[in-house]
Amino acid sequence: MTSSGNLKEKTLPGIPPANLKELLLLFVGKRKRFKIEGHSMLPLLSPGEEVLVKPLDRLNAGDIGAFEHNGNVLIKCVEAYTEHGYNLVGLNEADSTNYNNVKKPIGLVVSKLG
Amino acid sequence: MITKVLTKIIKQTDAPVAFAHCDGPCGVYDPASARIAAEAVLSMSKKMEGLADSTDIHDKNNFARYANIKEEQAKLAKDEVLVLWTDYFKPEHLEKYPDLHDLIWQTTKLLSKAKQHVDPAVAQEALDNIQKIHDIFWESKGKDVAWYTAS
């Protein structure tokens, strides 16, 4: 089973600032918060920015998601989901290496914090 | 207004870091790392088997040391194979080498088994699989790199 999409042909959605509802969901544990390190998601996400992540078991091609990988958390764009896992790419081709067959999604990036 | 105040309060605490970069930006991958570790597992398995019946205290000490090395090197070999799998191999490689997924899976299972048991045959089988990964890896890069072992 494969779901994929050509990201270059897609318009990536913007990530809105966290509204009151998102902040309250963070307080009650329904959102996870991460600080971005690195440049691979420019221009959408800059180093030092913080994002809120909605926990989900399954993400789709084109989603910006958080993933567990080798003990770290990655923020990347889903290029495709295959039976072997997620193929992840950065948006900044000059400073990004792709990942294949990543198994563990944490969730979907839904908003930026402030 | 309340959103801004809440955001300021939240930002008083540090958020966990999420990496938006790679852990191997140089793109340097080589199955040799897995091969060396798997060779050590095979060597330690053989040495342990050779000391199985010894009651000499020095041999017992060496047996324990070999078990420790076998454990470490099997984990290292497994990690190296998984790094190739997650970071190097791409969907087009799977299309070209349809058995690749099963080969990687079986290799990591064998390396786990080599940790759990003292069985040179299992360690040799893991090493043989790593040779197959070596062949696929270098073919995918368009290079003719001969397989060799250090021992």
Side-chain angles (χ1 to χ4, degrees), chain A residues 71-89:
Chain A
N72 291 323
V73 175
L74 300 175
I75 298 279
K76 290 278 182 179
C77 186
V78 178
E79 184 180 52
Y81 174 74
T82 75
E83 61 190 298
H84 307 301
Y86 292 89
N87 297 332
L88 306 178
V89 296

Side-chain angles (χ1 to χ4, degrees), chain A residues 3-65:
Chain A
S3 77
S4 64
N6 186 336
L7 295 176
K8 288 179 182 172
E9 293 174 359
K10 281 192 173 185
T11 303
L12 286 165
I15 299 176
N19 57 25
L20 183 58
K21 181 185 168 189
E22 287 294 317
L23 296 178
L24 292 174
L25 287 169
L26 174 66
F27 275 115
V28 298
K30 300 284 188 184
R31 296 287 183 270
K32 292 174 185 287
R33 173 183 162 221
F34 295 104
K35 186 174 188 175
I36 303 297
E37 184 178 304
H39 300 84
S40 82
M41 292 303 287
L42 286 171
L44 198 60
L45 294 170
S46 304
E49 280 192 308
E50 293 189 15
V51 293
L52 299 186
V53 171
K54 178 182 182 180
L56 286 177
D57 293 331
R58 173 70 192 269
L59 300 180
N60 297 308
D63 286 344
I64 307 295

